[in-house]
Amino acid sequence: MAGTDQENLIAEAQRRYRVADMLITMHSILRDSNSRRAIALDSEMFLSSIVIAALAFVDLDLLDWLPWDEDSTRVAIGLIAVFTFFIGLVSARVDWKGKADAHARAAKGYTEAKFKLDFRDRKYDEEAIRRSLAQYEEVGRGTIPIPESQFLRLKAEHYKKNSLNRILDRFPAASICLTRLRLRFRHTRKAWGEKEDSS
């Protein structure tokens, strides 16, 4: 039997609350991974630039301790310059910094939407629920999407995080690493032990 319009709205708000919670985790993971890649790439480019500057402006007579001659030093400077240029092209192409910023904005947007969708301690006002659902939709239209190739991995990370949180709430001194391993082993064993649905 179908519920009333308000009950349907409440059910939809609760569903989107859970989805928003999952999307916060997904975008946060992608934000952090892209940020780490951007920092690594920038560090390589800065280091290469410093080496070029040091080799280009220093007196070649001071580089006698290097295990090659003057011509080899010039070749090395050229190769490092080419490598630095290549890193710059890769950085512009992959735009990990831009992706990290986009995922950070998405995580923030869904965090705000999740808060508005949480009616557990608030009155169920139909108009407020509709506004919250509209805000959720607006966030979805204006944020970077989750890559399809990473969706299942990120979904698994979200549920693993929730399971780990529940265990740590009860046993705060438990080893996080060992608890993760135990969860992975237990869930894998249960998944492999279940019979496939023949329907």
Side-chain angles (χ1 to χ4, degrees):
M1 185 180 196
T4 64
D5 287 344
Q6 187 178 31
E7 288 173 344
N8 292 334
L9 278 174
I10 292 170
E12 183 63 14
Q14 291 171 341
R15 185 188 72 81
R16 296 196 189 187
Y17 175 89
R18 294 191 296 270
V19 174
D21 186 47
M22 181 175 67
L23 289 171
I24 292 167
T25 301
M26 291 179 167
H27 283 292
S28 296
I29 292 173
L30 291 172
R31 174 200 62 202
D32 295 342
S33 63
N34 281 288
S35 180
R36 285 193 296 269
R37 292 171 184 166
I39 290 172
L41 206 59
D42 287 346
S43 299
E44 290 177 8
M45 189 158 59
F46 290 150
L47 180 61
S48 299
S49 300
I50 290 170
V51 172
I52 290 174
L55 292 176
F57 296 106
V58 74
D59 190 343
L60 294 179
D61 292 336
L62 298 177
L63 301 178
D64 290 339
W65 56 274
L66 292 174
W68 53 70
D69 57 21
E70 185 176 314
D71 291 336
S72 298
T73 300
R74 290 194 178 92
V75 171
I77 293 173
L79 290 175
I80 296 172
V82 170
F83 178 70
T84 303
F85 179 70
F86 174 74
I87 292 177
L89 288 178
V90 171
S91 179
R93 177 65 177 170
V94 297
D95 192 23
W96 284 326
K97 191 180 297 183
K99 289 178 182 176
D101 291 341
H103 285 295
R105 290 192 298 273
K108 182 180 178 182
Y110 279 115
T111 299
E112 294 173 356
K114 175 187 168 184
F115 174 76
K116 295 289 180 63
L117 288 165
D118 186 5
F119 289 91
R120 288 174 297 181
D121 300 323
R122 289 184 285 161
K123 225 176 134 182
Y124 283 109
D125 178 2
E126 186 171 330
E127 187 57 35
I129 296 175
R130 291 186 186 279
R131 285 197 303 269
S132 300
L133 293 174
Q135 180 177 352
Y136 175 91
E137 293 290 342
E138 185 65 27
V139 172
R141 284 192 292 270
T143 57
I144 185 172
I146 301 294
E148 185 69 26
S149 60
Q150 300 185 52
F151 181 83
L152 289 179
R153 177 183 67 83
L154 295 171
K155 182 178 181 179
E157 289 296 328
H158 171 70
Y159 286 117
K160 281 191 289 184
K161 182 194 78 172
N162 287 345
S163 296
L164 188 61
N165 281 341
R166 286 193 293 270
I167 293 173
L168 293 178
D169 283 342
R170 296 175 58 202
F171 309 104
S175 167
I176 294 177
C177 182
L178 292 177
T179 304
R180 277 198 185 114
L181 288 174
R182 180 174 177 270
L183 278 171
R184 184 180 295 274
F185 173 75
R186 188 177 66 185
H187 289 185
T188 301
R189 185 184 61 184
K190 286 184 177 180
W192 287 357
E194 286 188 358
K195 294 181 179 180
E196 293 186 2
D197 188 0
S198 58
S199 59

